Amino acid sequence: MKYWEDFKIGEATALGSCAITEEEMLAFARKYDPQPFHTDPEAARQSIFGGLIASGWHTCALMMRLSVEAARREEAAATGSPGLDSCRWLRPVRPGDVLAGRTEVLETWPAKTRPIGFVRRRVEMVNQRGEVAVAVVGITMYQRRPAATTGLSA
Amino acid sequence: MKYFEDVELGETTRFGRYEVTREEIVDYARQFDPQPFHLDEEAARASMFGGLIASGWHTGAMFIRMVCDDMVPEAATAGSMGFDDLKWLKPVRPGDVLSVESVVRGKSESRSRPDRGTVKIESRVSNQRGEVVMSLVSLVIYLRRP
């Protein structure tokens, strides 16, 4: 189990990658972000983006999925997030793009009253050309390592 | 059509009505945020949240849907650069009804692209009890009046 104490400043982790299809982009956008450049390939061609692009909230959702899967692989005792400092959609995400996640620990501090700690981290999604498509700085909460049960003997 | 020039500092808008269902919470979580407290009622009851809650990113998605339905159609917007200071303040649960209050906090003209500007909009998403569940400051791109 990876507890709050185990996160070190500067620690960088690859989160794995995922491809994004036009079909997925359209399904997400029709449900949550129905703007023409996300939902209509023809209208998107005539927009300032020159073609269909993914909703930024879809890109963030994929970043979340990669983060959850990575946390599961390292058995991190994650307990949610109070929020993010910033999120920037830096480049359009287009059908067929493959996005790789990466994260770096920026800061850690313990909660004052609860047995949890906070980790401030940068997370980025990088496309197949090495361009950063989205960059966020966010905070994640983790359980503290349980106190050692010293003094007890069998 | 509302262009960059028409947006006024301090302008406040209230809009949206989004009914959150258990089915949608679980469906979003399966696709994007498969943590037990978003997926499984029993596991969620045993968690620090005491019951099933929506993924914070799902709340963000529901927020942008309300924005698309109510604000985008009459605004000359061209997407968003992102946002700052997003806070997930309270859990969102099945049966909650969400709505939005947005206030214009800043405007800046683009130096490199004279056809557009950025508008800083602070939004608060509230539930049916008036509790703010999420807040953020969006950076929205508005086209200038042609």
Side-chain angles (χ1 to χ4, degrees), chain A residues 9-60:
Chain A
I9 292 167
E11 177 186 328
T13 312
L15 299 176
S17 65
C18 62
I20 182 166
T21 66
E22 178 169 315
E23 195 184 358
E24 288 168 340
M25 283 172 43
L26 293 172
F28 185 98
R30 283 173 185 155
K31 187 156 179 61
Y32 292 114
D33 198 352
Q35 302 185 69
F37 43 84
H38 297 320
T39 56
D40 180 348
E42 186 49 44
R45 257 192 294 280
Q46 288 161 28
S47 76
I48 60 171
F49 301 109
L52 201 68
I53 63 168
S55 165
W57 294 91
H58 189 187
T59 313
C60 285

Side-chain angles (χ1 to χ4, degrees), chain B residues 55-71:
Chain B
S55 165
W57 287 109
H58 184 196
T59 306
M62 293 188 278
F63 158 74
I64 201 65
R65 177 66 202 231
M66 289 188 276
V67 170
C68 284
D69 287 347
D70 286 81
M71 285 188 95

Side-chain angles (χ1 to χ4, degrees), chain A residues 28 30-35 37 48-49 57-58 60-65 68 72 79-89 114, chain B residues 18 24 28 31-35 48-49 57-58 60-61 64-65 68 72 78-88 116 136 139:
Chain A
F28 185 98
R30 283 173 185 155
K31 187 156 179 61
Y32 292 114
D33 198 352
Q35 302 185 69
F37 43 84
I48 60 171
F49 301 109
W57 294 91
H58 189 187
C60 285
L62 294 172
M63 185 173 64
M64 186 66 208
R65 193 176 79 206
V68 170
R72 189 166 293 159
T79 62
S81 165
L84 291 90
D85 298 340
S86 66
C87 168
R88 289 293 179 276
W89 294 303
R114 289 181 293 160
Chain B
Y18 200 112
E24 191 183 320
Y28 182 97
Q31 288 183 72
F32 301 117
D33 193 353
Q35 301 188 76
M48 61 186 261
F49 303 109
W57 287 109
H58 184 196
I64 201 65
R65 177 66 202 231
C68 284
V72 170
S80 166
M81 297 160 61
F83 55 81
D84 288 323
D85 208 17
L86 181 145
K87 294 191 176 88
W88 288 303
R116 64 191 71 176
L136 75 168
L139 305 173

Side-chain angles (χ1 to χ4, degrees), chain B residues 59 66 87-93 95-101 123-135:
Chain B
T59 306
M66 289 188 276
K87 294 191 176 88
W88 288 303
L89 297 162
K90 291 236 181 239
V92 171
R93 301 183 189 275
D96 279 1
V97 180
L98 305 181
S99 61
V100 184
E101 181 182 274
S123 296
R124 284 185 292 271
V125 180
S126 299
N127 63 22
Q128 68 283 8
R129 290 178 297 279
E131 299 163 335
V132 179
V133 296
M134 186 182 95
S135 64

